[in-house]
Amino acid sequence: MGYSASQLPTLAGYFDTSATTPTATEVLEAMALAQATAWANPSSLHGPGLAAAEQLERSRLSLAAGLGCEPDELVVTSGGTEAIHLALLGAAAGLTPGRLVISAVEHPATMAAAAQLQQRGWSVQAVPVDRQGLLDLDALDGLLVPPTRLVSVIWGQNEVGSLQPIEAIGARCRRAGVLLHVDAVQVLGHLPINFRQLPIDFLSGAAHKLQGPRGVGLLLVRRGLALQGQLGGGGQEGGRRGGTEPVVLLSGFAKALELSCATPSLAPLRDSLLHRLLSLPGLRLSGPPPGDSRLPHHLSLLVASEAGLPLSGRNLVRELSRQGFALSSGSACSSSGSAASSVLRALGYGEADAASGLRISLGPWHCAADLEALVQALQMALAASVASEHLLTA
């Protein structure tokens, strides 16, 4: 089915920033300048190559300053998925196969990397979460014993917005002598990160979640830790990631992080939206309440008819799209063909509720009028869904 121009979401109607964000104008300008002045291969020894190498290191220095790490602790990748794989597979390569501990609500990229480790003789154990999607720390404590050698935790859960207590998790891993990787893809650009002060060993991120370009990410690696590169070639990134560095994309990443650090929190606007939405019949919050345990730009809801019967989240998203609004019914990266969210199932919801999820994620361009327009559109979409009998059985 095609869409007319009037049906395509404008920025005012775009509420799916947890999936991706539009590239900021300032980022595009920084990339255009880099493309014009630093287009050469940064490994080349001639003038254009040296100009590209200088721009590469300026971007690296800027990112390192914004993330509280040393420049040589930052490995450039093609995105969050590669960074996660590099962290887990690269760290595990220097260890005797043992146990990898993850949470029950990890991103599909982490699950895919964990599956590869299982093929290499590792075992994988998932730590349960509570109704808000927060890790059971007592259960984690019980697993931080041999043969556990590596832990990977998603800091900001992409579907339900839960923020794991990373400092508490990191302190436990340090005491146990276990390496910790943190998937910070959803956190980067929304909360301050000071890698130097965090008790973690690896941290992955991606530019496109904070109005940077797609196709570039990073992995922070604590100094002194062994990390075997997964892509061979020219020995770039200190031998940890082969391939010609994306100078232009990294320039955009650096500018995007700089902009995000100067942008006020979206939590007040998000809280105002939540107040309006919870006044509508059939909507209830999933994941943690607003506060320190939830991503500041993120809402997740379960939708039902006034009679309490769960409605299809996917059909609601389609109906809202017809009105020019872009939302999500779950992760944009899920490989599951099921309408029911595995994340909501891990939180203890049944099959019908787990298929009724709706995710709203805000951007810095949104204002109060945009939120009111979304509330009105959602009211219409709920009515249309009930009329179309898009109900789910328990």
Side-chain angles (χ1 to χ4, degrees):
M1 174 181 175
Y3 290 89
S4 67
S6 63
Q7 291 174 307
L8 294 175
T10 63
L11 279 190
Y14 187 78
F15 289 90
D16 199 18
T17 59
S18 287
T20 198
T21 55
T23 309
T25 300
E26 298 91 334
V27 171
L28 292 172
E29 291 170 349
M31 291 169 62
L33 179 60
Q35 183 63 53
T37 61
W39 47 266
N41 190 321
S43 295
S44 299
L45 299 180
H46 46 59
L50 294 175
E54 182 179 350
Q55 179 58 49
L56 177 68
E57 291 315 305
R58 283 179 180 174
S59 298
R60 192 188 305 274
L61 286 168
S62 177
L63 286 164
L67 297 172
C69 70
E70 300 303 320
D72 62 357
E73 292 179 310
L74 193 156
V75 180
V76 180
T77 70
S78 63
T81 293
E82 186 194 341
I84 290 168
H85 279 72
L86 177 58
L88 298 186
L89 304 182
L95 302 171
T96 302
R99 181 167 57 205
L100 165 67
V101 173
I102 59 176
S103 80
V105 291
E106 291 301 312
H107 189 274
T110 298
M111 301 298 293
Q116 287 195 42
L117 287 182
Q118 284 182 305
Q119 294 173 1
R120 302 177 187 183
W122 285 68
S123 64
V124 177
Q125 179 73 47
V127 181
V129 296
D130 63 16
R131 193 72 164 185
Q132 296 183 358
L134 299 173
L135 203 68
D136 183 335
L137 294 180
D138 290 336
L140 175 64
D141 282 337
L143 289 170
L144 292 179
V145 295
T148 296
R149 294 188 172 85
L150 187 58
V151 172
S152 184
V153 173
I154 187 169
W155 190 347
Q157 216 294 317
N158 49 308
E159 287 191 45
V160 295
S162 312
L163 282 171
Q164 301 297 344
I166 288 302
E167 292 195 12
I169 293 170
R172 284 167 162 78
C173 291
R174 285 281 168 88
R175 287 195 295 269
V178 173
L179 294 174
L180 172 63
H181 163 255
V182 171
D183 169 3
V185 169
Q186 293 290 337
V187 171
L188 199 66
H190 295 285
L191 293 172
I193 293 176
N194 190 326
F195 187 64
R196 210 171 279 118
Q197 296 179 359
L198 289 170
I200 63 180
D201 302 298
F202 307 96
L203 182 143
S204 51
H208 73 103
K209 304 293 187 180
L210 54 147
Q211 291 198 268
R214 282 182 289 270
V216 64
L218 57 80
L219 177 67
L220 304 186
V221 182
R222 186 75 60 192
R223 268 185 175 176
L225 292 180
L227 183 77
Q228 181 175 302
Q230 301 300 295
L231 297 176
Q236 292 90 345
E237 298 301 299
R240 297 171 294 190
R241 200 272 187 182
T244 302
E245 299 94 339
V247 176
V248 173
L249 295 178
L250 202 68
S251 299
F253 197 169
K255 174 57 71 172
L257 183 62
E258 177 189 323
L259 291 173
S260 69
C261 290
T263 301
S265 173
L266 292 169
L269 202 62
R270 185 272 316 272
D271 294 349
S272 173
L273 176 60
L274 177 62
H275 177 74
R276 286 285 287 113
L277 291 174
L278 292 184
S279 69
L280 302 181
L283 295 183
R284 55 190 167 123
L285 186 70
S286 61
D292 293 340
S293 294
R294 189 176 195 103
L295 287 163
H297 64 302
H298 186 290
L299 284 176
S300 53
L301 303 162
L302 301 179
V303 295
S305 69
E306 291 190 37
L309 295 174
L311 294 169
S312 166
R314 290 185 176 185
N315 288 327
L316 198 60
V317 166
R318 294 187 187 102
E319 182 59 38
L320 284 163
S321 182
R322 294 187 189 100
Q323 299 184 47
F325 290 85
L327 284 76
S328 171
S329 61
S331 170
C333 300
S334 174
S335 60
S336 172
S338 171
S341 161
S342 61
V343 170
L344 289 172
R345 293 299 303 270
L347 269 62
Y349 290 101
E351 190 80 12
D353 278 335
S356 73
L358 190 68
R359 182 181 71 186
I360 302 171
S361 42
L362 282 67
W365 56 83
H366 284 127
C367 64
D370 301 330
L371 307 190
E372 187 58 35
L374 174 62
V375 172
Q376 294 177 14
L378 187 52
Q379 284 180 298
M380 295 174 61
L382 285 166
S385 290
V386 171
S388 300
E389 297 184 353
H390 288 146
L391 304 176
L392 301 165
T393 57

